Amino acid sequence: MGPAAHSAVTKSDSAHPDRRGTAAEIAGADDYAALVRAAASGDEAAMETLLMRAQEVAFRFSSLVCGHAEDAEDVMQDALLRAYRHVDRIREPEAFRGWLYRTVRNACLMKRRRRVDEPRHMLSIDELLPTPEGVRTLQVPDPGHGPEASAINAALRQRLDRALSALPPLYRVVVFLRDVEGLSTREAAHVVGASEATVKQRLHRGRLFLRKALGEAR
Amino acid sequence: MKSSAVHTGERCRELAIDVSDYLDGELSVTRAERLERHLAGCECCAGFAESLRRAIATCRAAGRTALPRTVQARARRRVRELLGTEARGRT
């Protein structure tokens, strides 16, 4: 692989179902900022889109990071109201996305009444590094369209759910923010209240663990 | 041409930490070139990097599914109720 790594990732990005409109829309910080500006100026459609996104983030965070889908509706309601109140007050629309994820994270924490990102145990890096006999190649099918694609998506999602739930919370939240939600290292650091270097380290360890968990799930 | 030798020694361990940054495009040019040279000659690390890339791809492909239909309907209803209530409050 080597030099192909960047192009391979780019290729995967282009095959992302989000880009084809079959899943939740990827929204960058700039997309959120544009929506916030429009909503604050009275654009109701923009406000509705923004509030739906806030609830979608809350749902995914609840189910994938906190692992308690039964809390999702409460966290969604909380995100909806907080986002609605925040739109008129925010001075930097570009900061809205980071604010939203931090708010949702805090709501989840409050809901569970304990810190979700306290590690149950620290991973040994030795457990996760490559070994001569341990290299596995994961198959990530192109989800495509139609009922067959839905079944593949559902199967992939189940594997991901299991793998993420097996991840220590400290790493799970960072993997979620960076690899599922597409936040930058800087944004993720803001959300979890850690340095960028710490986020990078957690992300790498989380990915090592995820790789192993996904491989074992085959 | 890749060496068939597999080595998981200190060099591999030292470079493994760079793989995530490399896949994210956040590694400096110097370190990226060093890693690429290593990956070109180490099947074990190349396979490791590929499997890490696929794990990330799985997150991206499977993690951001749309809301379940019933959940989405409730979310939409909450938004419209909130906006309707606020609109009535302003008039």
Side-chain angles (χ1 to χ4, degrees):
Chain A
M1 84 161 243
H6 283 112
S7 59
V9 170
T10 304
K11 189 178 174 186
S12 293
D13 283 350
S14 68
H16 195 296
D18 292 343
R19 307 285 163 91
R20 295 191 299 268
T22 56
E25 189 181 343
I26 284 181
D30 291 344
D31 299 322
Y32 274 104
L35 277 175
V36 168
R37 286 194 190 93
S41 67
D43 182 336
E44 281 198 15
M47 178 66 90
E48 189 168 331
T49 302
L50 193 64
L51 296 178
M52 284 301 290
R53 283 192 187 168
Q55 293 186 88
E56 287 162 5
V57 166
F59 181 83
R60 289 195 298 271
F61 200 104
S62 288
S63 50
L64 285 178
V65 180
C66 300
H68 295 280
E70 68 274 17
D71 289 346
E73 296 274 346
D74 286 346
V75 179
M76 289 169 76
Q77 175 96 17
D78 186 82
L80 168 71
L81 294 174
R82 287 178 189 274
Y84 181 74
R85 290 182 201 131
H86 192 64
V87 166
D88 285 336
R89 299 178 196 163
I90 191 164
R91 290 183 182 174
E92 291 179 66
E94 288 76 14
F96 183 87
R97 186 168 74 152
W99 170 87
L100 174 62
Y101 280 91
R102 193 172 176 86
T103 298
V104 166
R105 173 183 176 268
N106 291 345
C108 282
L109 290 175
M110 292 293 288
K111 187 73 190 164
R112 300 312 304 169
R113 294 181 184 169
R114 63 181 171 84
R115 292 183 63 79
V116 293
D117 57 357
E118 277 178 2
R120 289 190 202 108
H121 65 280
M122 290 301 287
L123 294 176
S124 163
I125 204 83
D126 293 335
E127 292 172 35
L128 305 169
L129 286 175
T131 60
E133 66 282 359
V135 175
R136 290 168 181 265
T137 302
L138 301 177
Q139 298 302 316
V140 184
D142 180 347
H145 297 283
E148 196 179 329
S150 297
I152 292 171
N153 272 330
L156 260 184
R157 176 58 185 249
Q158 274 191 346
R159 284 178 58 197
L160 182 63
D161 281 353
R162 280 199 298 271
L164 279 173
S165 65
L167 211 59
L170 188 69
Y171 304 129
R172 189 190 309 149
V173 66
V174 172
V175 169
F176 171 79
L177 293 170
R178 292 282 285 117
D179 289 344
V180 176
E181 298 294 302
L183 268 66
S184 67
T185 303
R186 188 176 186 180
E187 286 176 311
H190 171 71
V191 172
V192 301
S195 69
E196 290 185 37
T198 299
V199 164
K200 283 189 175 196
Q201 188 187 48
R202 289 179 189 172
L203 178 64
H204 182 63
R205 288 183 176 230
R207 283 172 173 174
L208 292 178
F209 196 94
L210 193 69
R211 162 187 168 271
K212 189 175 180 184
L214 285 169
E216 287 172 353
R218 287 185 69 197
Chain B
M1 187 180 194
K2 281 183 180 178
S3 159
S4 59
V6 170
H7 46 98
T8 53
E10 281 303 308
R11 183 101 176 120
C12 300
R13 288 172 185 278
E14 184 191 324
L15 292 175
I17 189 74
D18 281 347
V19 173
S20 274
D21 277 354
Y22 179 71
L23 293 171
D24 290 335
E26 293 183 359
L27 201 60
S28 71
V29 173
T30 309
R31 291 181 76 149
E33 286 175 354
R34 186 179 66 157
L35 179 65
E36 284 170 0
R37 280 197 299 275
H38 180 78
L39 292 177
C42 178
E43 284 187 13
C44 179
C45 286
F48 164 71
E50 173 62 11
S51 65
L52 203 60
R53 183 193 69 76
R54 286 179 177 272
I56 297 167
T58 298
C59 278
R60 292 184 179 162
R64 290 180 56 98
T65 50
L67 290 180
R69 201 170 295 168
T70 52
V71 176
Q72 186 174 35
R74 283 197 294 274
R76 181 80 61 191
R77 192 164 57 239
R78 279 195 291 267
V79 169
R80 292 192 169 156
E81 282 173 3
L82 175 66
L83 296 181
T85 304
E86 292 296 318
R88 283 193 298 277
R90 283 196 295 271
T91 56

